[in-house]
Amino acid sequence: MFLGAFTGMLVSATVGSGTLALTGVLDADDFASTWSVWWTGDAMGVLAVTPVLLLLRSARWPRGVSPARWAEGALLVAATACVGFVETSDTPLLFLGFPLLIWAGFRFRLAGAAPCALAVSVFAIVAAGQKSGPFAGHDLFTNMITLQAFNASASLTALLLGAAVGERAQTEREIAQACRQLAEMATRIATSDRRPALPVRRNDQEAVSVESDTASE
């Protein structure tokens, strides 16, 4: 996230703003503000869209999912739609999207957190375009800063939480697999009939042969 979105987008923002400044389309005084808006817009686009595209590469239809799990997923989608309706209204309630992101990250990990973050960001963009809710009564630059800050907070919250929950689940699976392997090894050792043979020294062999000869005589 930090290398691809925040660091990688420095190139596009610098090249784009620099090209506009060199060609005379952009004044030198407006270079800093244009560069910052360009960079934040590209970075937030990467944070919101790229995780969903990466998930689509490995997406497959879930098997063995219980009906309760499907119901929970449908409830999350419905709640996201309701929150989006509230975000695009005149009420400044953008923060209602964060409980959804936490819910999606804990219960569905990245598969649910990334699409939910994208949906919340899209609703915020629509609200900013309509200048409704928290974007009403402000100039364009203030709305851009507010929008990009919200999108960054939503994306980072969802992705970091989803990644942390996924890593914890992976660690639990690895520990369970290691415990099963140890249990199988212990069972094989306990049920094995093989006994390690002690090495017999040469002097012991000679003593045994002498005793045998004496007994035979």
Side-chain angles (χ1 to χ4, degrees), residues 157-182:
T157 299
L159 296 178
L160 292 176
L161 182 59
V165 174
E167 290 179 358
R168 186 187 65 179
Q170 178 66 24
T171 302
E172 291 177 353
R173 287 193 296 267
E174 292 177 355
I175 293 175
Q177 183 179 1
C179 291
R180 286 194 299 267
Q181 292 176 353
L182 290 176

Side-chain angles (χ1 to χ4, degrees), residues 38-127:
W38 197 315
W39 176 75
T40 52
D42 290 351
M44 295 311 103
V46 172
L47 282 179
V49 178
T50 302
V52 179
L53 297 178
L54 293 176
L55 287 172
L56 290 177
R57 293 181 56 187
S58 59
R60 63 184 184 276
W61 189 258
R63 297 179 180 178
V65 180
S66 62
R69 191 72 165 171
W70 283 108
E72 185 180 3
L75 184 60
L76 176 61
V77 173
T80 303
C82 293
V83 170
F85 178 77
V86 174
E87 286 184 356
T88 55
S89 62
D90 295 331
T91 55
L93 297 175
L94 285 178
F95 58 87
L96 291 179
F98 286 95
L100 293 177
L101 299 176
I102 297 173
W103 179 12
F106 267 115
R107 297 293 295 162
F108 299 96
R109 288 178 276 185
L110 285 177
C116 188
L118 178 59
V120 170
S121 298
V122 169
F123 292 138
I125 293 172
V126 173

Side-chain angles (χ1 to χ4, degrees), residues 98-155:
F98 286 95
L100 293 177
L101 299 176
I102 297 173
W103 179 12
F106 267 115
R107 297 293 295 162
F108 299 96
R109 288 178 276 185
L110 285 177
C116 188
L118 178 59
V120 170
S121 298
V122 169
F123 292 138
I125 293 172
V126 173
Q130 296 176 352
K131 292 186 177 181
S132 60
F135 303 101
H138 302 287
D139 57 2
L140 179 60
F141 183 76
T142 302
N143 286 339
M144 286 292 295
I145 295 299
T146 304
L147 175 63
Q148 303 304 347
F150 173 79
N151 289 341
S153 301
S155 298

